[in-house]
């Protein structure tokens, strides 16, 4: 790939898709077909085009959505329109797993073979489908763990992408033989009654497309209170609530908001991190699909409180239904005066733009997410400076994930002090848990902090089929395993730190006595090897060495003794934890180390606790 423009020309479909996003080109310098006499003498719009670099990912999505891949001609046209060197655009396009720079059919089936779906036969399904007429790609976690085995159908042109599961025998038969198939969309994944629920009380009971229905069930009352009482009151309530981040970092929300609000440099930005990519996690997806206006309202409150006029929702590319639902919610909120130049008639400006990721786990890390929003490869930045000082577009930026934000609605509804009485002293409020794997009723569950692991499992019906429990994965791939002896463990931040386990992003994945934990550990190691952005040596090399050592142990081809390999794994884990730039490398060895220490796998003695320190995971806003 060269720095110069290529000779390839875009197709009419590609040109139309890009022009729909960016508007028609004004001159031959930015892609117009006809060159005027004026264009021979003057180049216009270069600086403006460079300022639109943040539209690179949306433009690449437009290309792929039009014809199913990013052709040289389409890439060339985007580079002309945005004044981006082709080598840079190619580097961005090849960074994200959902983009293809090689020609492929307009319809592609992604079959999940990650840890939850493997327990339901996802890996075998992916292997069988690889030999079918359908162009099939084995995929990391699609965020549909409660519907395992899950799949995502990407359709270019006029079709819409659809995530679905479980993949039935009938679906598989039709996919393998060719021909039309009826894809059944998912229902609600919440398995509890609305009575007593706080965060999920509207899910499954309110029409997610209707802003009137949302308002009839208490929607936009929190924003009204925030506007009536002002930012100082809102900040005080959020601070008094002791609300902590819900994705892994567990940083005090009020402290973060205060830090953004106090920054003298403007503009400020606020970002909703909806790039929920931790294997086993699907809580944010359920909320966005079933209660989208709650996400929009809470982000609006966060933005106005911290002095922002612009907010962004950065959503997983693998969440097509949530993307459509949120897009509609933003349009409806704007149409009804809850976004725009005069929010609720109070003379306050705040608006929201939705941006799609494109398949990169690392973009759950906040600074990698900022780079992605700016049209770059999703590589983390060194800190300091922290995002509250210099974040998106170099400006002060607040960022929270979906679950953290919707807790704010409950904080303002009942008051910060009352919210702080829920749960425990160090872990206030309700918490969402994603139950998957060998569990009787997989789905999304809400509990107050302080509930035990055993109680969470019991609420989901226990181990499927009444089989004995072998292990539980807490926190996802970046979390750790615990054994059946940990069922009395309380799920709070303070108990997790003391006990050497992690809450992470709320994953509770069960493995019964027949589950192959060796296969699971190998899949986790491969996941981190694939998802490392490669920017820093400890993570880039360490994730590869971890997988290699595990495979040698499993295959009985150790370099030296088994203990030598275990010592190597421990050393590699320590280096990644100490020297990696971001949470991906810092947590990439957690699950494997916990399997060795807590479960006695791979020749470990089974002594010791969990996975060490509760290091923030890449799927949540990091501490700032």
């Amino acid at each position: 790939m060269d720095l110069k423009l290529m000779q390839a020309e875009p197709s009419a479909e590609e040109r139309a898709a890009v022009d729909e996003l960016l508007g028609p080109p004004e001159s031959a310098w930015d892609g117009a077909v006809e060159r005027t006499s004026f264009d021979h003498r003057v180049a216009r719009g270069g600086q403006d085009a460079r300022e639109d670099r943040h539209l690179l990912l949306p433009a690449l999505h437009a290309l792929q959505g039009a014809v199913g891949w990013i052709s040289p001609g389409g890439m060339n046209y985007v580079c002309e329109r945005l004044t981006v060197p082709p080598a840079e655009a190619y580097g961005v396009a090849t960074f994200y797993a959902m983009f293809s720079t090689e020609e492929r059919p307009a319809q592609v089936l992604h079959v999940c073979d990650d840890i939850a779906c493997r327990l339901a036969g996802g890996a075998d399904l992916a292997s069988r489908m690889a030999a079918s007429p359908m162009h099939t790609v084995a995929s990391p976690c699609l965020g549909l763990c409660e519907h395992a085995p899950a799949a995502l159908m990407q359709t270019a042109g006029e079709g819409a992408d659809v995530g679905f599961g479980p993949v039935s025998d009938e679906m598989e038969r039709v996919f393998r033989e060719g021909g039309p198939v009826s894809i059944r969309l998912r229902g609600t994944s919440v398995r509890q009654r609305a009575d007593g629920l706080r965060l999920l009380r509207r899910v499954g009971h309110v029409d997610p497309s209707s802003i009137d229905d949302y308002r009839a069930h208490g929607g936009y009352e929190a924003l009204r209170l925030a506007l009536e009482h002002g930012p100082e009151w809102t900040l005080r309530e959020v601070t008094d609530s002791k609300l902590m981040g819900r994705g892994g970092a567990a940083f005090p929300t009020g402290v973060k908001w205060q830090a953004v609000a106090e920054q003298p440099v403007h503009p400020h930005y606020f970002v909703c991190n909806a790039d929920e990519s931790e294997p086993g996690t699907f809580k944010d997806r359920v909320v966005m699909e079933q209660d989208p206006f709650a996400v929009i309202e809470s982000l609006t409150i966060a933005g106005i409180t911290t002095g922002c006029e612009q907010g962004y929702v950065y959503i997983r590319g693998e969440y097509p239904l949530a993307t459509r639902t949120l897009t509609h919610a933003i349009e409806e909120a704007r149409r009804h005066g809850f976004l725009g130049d005069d929010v609720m008639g109070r003379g306050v400006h705040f608006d929201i733009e939705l941006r799609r990721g494109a398949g990169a786990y690392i973009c759950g890390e906040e600074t990698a997410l900022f780079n992605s929003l700016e049209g770059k490869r999703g590589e983390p930045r060194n800190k300091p400076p922290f995002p509250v000082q210099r974040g998106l577009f170099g400006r002060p930026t607040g960022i929270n994930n979906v679950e953290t934000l919707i807790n704010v609605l409950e904080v303002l509804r009942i008051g910060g002090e009352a919210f702080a009485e829920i749960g425990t002293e160090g872990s206030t409020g309700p918490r969402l848990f994603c139950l998957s794997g060998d569990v009787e009723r997989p789905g999304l569950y809400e509990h107050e902090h302080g509930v035990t692991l055993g109680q969470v499992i019991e609420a989901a019906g226990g181990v499927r089929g009444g089989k004995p429990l072998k292990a539980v994965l807490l926190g996802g791939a970046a979390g750790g395993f615990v054994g059946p002896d940990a069922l009395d463990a309380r799920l709070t931040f303070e108990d997790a730190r003391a006990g050497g386990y992690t809450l992470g992003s709320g994953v509770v994945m069960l493995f019964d006595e027949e589950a192959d934990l060796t296969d699971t550990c190998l899949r986790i190691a491969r996941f981190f090897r694939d998802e490392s952005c490669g920017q820093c040596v400890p993570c880039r090399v360490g994730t590869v060495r971890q997988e290699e050592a595990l495979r040698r142990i499993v295959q009985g081809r150790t370099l030296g003794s088994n203990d030598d390999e275990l010592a190597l794994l421990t050393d590699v884990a320590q280096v990644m934890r100490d020297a990696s730039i971001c949470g991906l490398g810092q947590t990439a060895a957690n699950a494997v180390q916990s399997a060795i220490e807590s479960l006695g796998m791979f020749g470990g003695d089974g002594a010791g606790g969990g996975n060490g320190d509760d290091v923030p995971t890449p799927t949540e806003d990091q501490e700032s």
Side-chain angles (χ1 to χ4, degrees), residues 507-522:
V507 173
V508 180
M509 190 180 300
L510 275 59
F511 298 82
D512 66 26
E513 62 177 354
E514 298 177 0
D516 186 348
L517 288 182
T518 298
D519 177 72
T520 298
C521 288
L522 286 171

Side-chain angles (χ1 to χ4, degrees), residues 156-463:
E158 298 299 322
D161 294 351
V162 179
F164 58 97
V167 178
S168 65
D169 292 340
E170 176 64 17
M171 285 182 185
E172 182 185 350
R173 183 188 64 77
V174 176
F175 285 145
R176 295 179 68 182
E177 296 177 358
V181 60
S182 176
I183 296 177
R184 177 174 55 84
L185 294 175
R186 305 174 306 278
T188 178
S189 298
V190 175
R191 299 287 195 167
Q192 296 164 289
R193 292 170 53 88
D195 301 341
L197 296 181
R198 298 175 183 275
L199 306 181
L200 301 178
R201 64 182 182 275
R202 283 183 292 266
V203 173
H205 301 278
V206 173
D207 180 357
S209 67
S210 171
I211 195 170
D212 291 333
D213 202 9
Y214 176 70
R215 294 180 66 188
H217 288 79
Y220 281 107
E221 282 302 305
L223 178 58
R224 180 185 62 78
L225 289 171
L227 290 170
E228 285 182 355
H229 294 285
E232 291 186 5
W233 175 84
T234 306
L235 273 172
R236 185 170 60 251
E237 294 298 321
V238 173
T239 302
D240 289 347
S241 74
K242 302 179 184 178
L243 173 64
M244 311 285 273
R246 295 296 199 246
F251 193 78
T253 303
V255 174
K256 180 183 292 187
W257 287 22
Q258 184 72 50
V260 177
E262 291 176 348
Q263 295 299 315
V265 178
H266 285 271
H268 297 173
Y269 297 101
F270 213 103
V271 177
C272 171
N273 182 352
D275 191 55
E276 176 183 58
S277 303
E278 186 68 52
T281 314
F282 49 87
K283 57 188 174 64
D284 292 351
R285 189 208 84 229
V286 172
V287 172
M288 289 186 288
E289 290 177 350
Q290 298 292 323
D291 198 10
F293 291 103
V295 181
I296 302 308
E297 181 184 5
S298 55
L299 177 55
T300 305
I301 292 169
I304 291 173
T305 302
T306 54
C308 306
E309 293 191 348
Q310 180 65 47
Y312 291 90
V313 177
Y314 185 94
I315 190 169
R316 279 194 76 174
E318 296 93 338
Y319 282 177
L321 178 58
T323 298
R324 291 191 290 271
T325 307
L326 274 181
T327 298
H328 173 76
I330 291 171
E331 293 170 351
E332 284 292 284
R334 192 179 291 125
R335 189 166 70 88
H336 285 80
F338 295 104
L339 289 174
D341 292 329
D342 188 19
V343 176
M344 294 187 76
R346 302 282 178 165
V348 177
H349 176 87
F350 186 78
D351 212 337
I352 294 173
E353 187 173 341
L354 185 142
R355 293 291 180 87
R356 288 180 64 200
Y361 172 79
I362 187 61
C363 287
E365 196 279 333
E366 58 187 7
T367 60
L369 186 155
F370 298 153
N371 277 337
S372 186
L373 272 173
E374 293 174 11
K376 303 169 185 174
R377 292 164 63 90
E379 296 175 341
R381 305 171 184 174
N382 286 313
K383 292 183 282 191
F386 295 103
V388 296
Q389 303 158 324
R390 186 177 175 84
L392 183 63
F393 305 123
R395 299 296 182 177
T397 305
I399 181 168
N400 289 119
N401 74 346
V402 170
E403 184 187 355
T404 306
L405 285 172
I406 63 171
N407 266 277
V408 172
L409 303 182
E410 185 67 8
V411 169
L412 300 190
R413 187 177 77 90
I414 66 175
E417 292 185 357
F419 186 93
E421 294 297 318
I422 302 169
T424 67
E425 177 67 23
S427 304
T428 64
R431 184 70 191 262
L432 301 182
F433 294 97
C434 308
L435 275 292
S436 64
D438 294 322
V439 64
E440 192 66 46
R441 295 191 297 273
L444 184 61
Y445 293 82
E446 178 183 324
H447 297 280
E448 293 183 4
H449 274 112
V451 66
T452 67
L453 176 59
Q455 289 170 331
V456 169
I457 294 174
E458 182 181 359
V463 181

Side-chain angles (χ1 to χ4, degrees), residues 577-608:
R577 187 175 295 120
D578 291 343
S580 296
I581 289 176
C582 78
L584 189 153
Q586 294 164 15
T587 60
N590 279 1
V592 172
Q593 287 295 298
S594 69
I596 294 170
E597 297 170 7
S598 295
L599 305 181
M601 291 182 61
F602 308 110
D605 59 12

